[in-house]
Amino acid sequence: MEQGQFWDIISRSLEVSDGSIECQAAELEDILADLPPVQVASFNARFVSKNLELYSWELWGAAYVLYGGCSDDCFEYLRSWVVGQGQDYFKAVRPGSAYVGQWSSKLRFRER
């Protein structure tokens, strides 16, 4: 799956979610259900790759400071949430892209 198609699918799922993670996940399932299995697998591979791009001590440290702690599970959820916010958000939070202090307004994700 091309990167543009990946981000388009994320954007489409985000548009109808009205900020609800559950609604976005349901929409994402609906979008992916219409794709051939090879495309679904490719989407998953791209998602995992983007999630891993965010894996850095710099970002984990920022999350730790902002949240008063950040377990490994919490950090994985945060990275997945960031990818789910779309390409612009991902680029803004990606390690090395901005000063940690600028991330604080971007890292406020809704806790369950």
Side-chain angles (χ1 to χ4, degrees), residues 70-110:
C70 185
S71 68
D72 55 345
D73 287 343
C74 179
F75 187 53
E76 183 177 351
Y77 304 150
L78 171 66
R79 294 187 335 260
S80 294
W81 180 84
V82 167
V83 174
Q85 297 308 294
Q87 186 174 17
D88 292 340
Y89 207 98
F90 174 83
K91 286 180 177 179
V93 175
R94 182 174 51 198
S97 64
Y99 177 71
V100 172
Q102 294 172 342
W103 291 344
S104 63
S105 65
K106 299 209 174 286
L107 292 177
R108 298 285 178 198
F109 70 103
R110 188 174 58 140

Side-chain angles (χ1 to χ4, degrees), residues 33-87:
D34 291 336
L35 297 177
V38 69
Q39 285 291 87
V40 175
S42 183
F43 176 89
N44 182 64
R46 179 76 66 176
F47 189 93
V48 169
S49 173
K50 293 299 178 189
N51 187 306
L52 291 175
E53 280 184 53
L54 295 173
Y55 196 103
S56 74
W57 289 115
E58 185 179 26
L59 182 58
W60 201 337
Y64 188 91
V65 170
L66 288 169
Y67 301 127
C70 185
S71 68
D72 55 345
D73 287 343
C74 179
F75 187 53
E76 183 177 351
Y77 304 150
L78 171 66
R79 294 187 335 260
S80 294
W81 180 84
V82 167
V83 174
Q85 297 308 294
Q87 186 174 17

Side-chain angles (χ1 to χ4, degrees), residues 10-22:
I10 294 291
S11 293
R12 288 171 34 209
S13 69
L14 188 60
E15 286 173 4
V16 300
S17 71
D18 196 32
S20 166
I21 294 170
E22 293 82 10

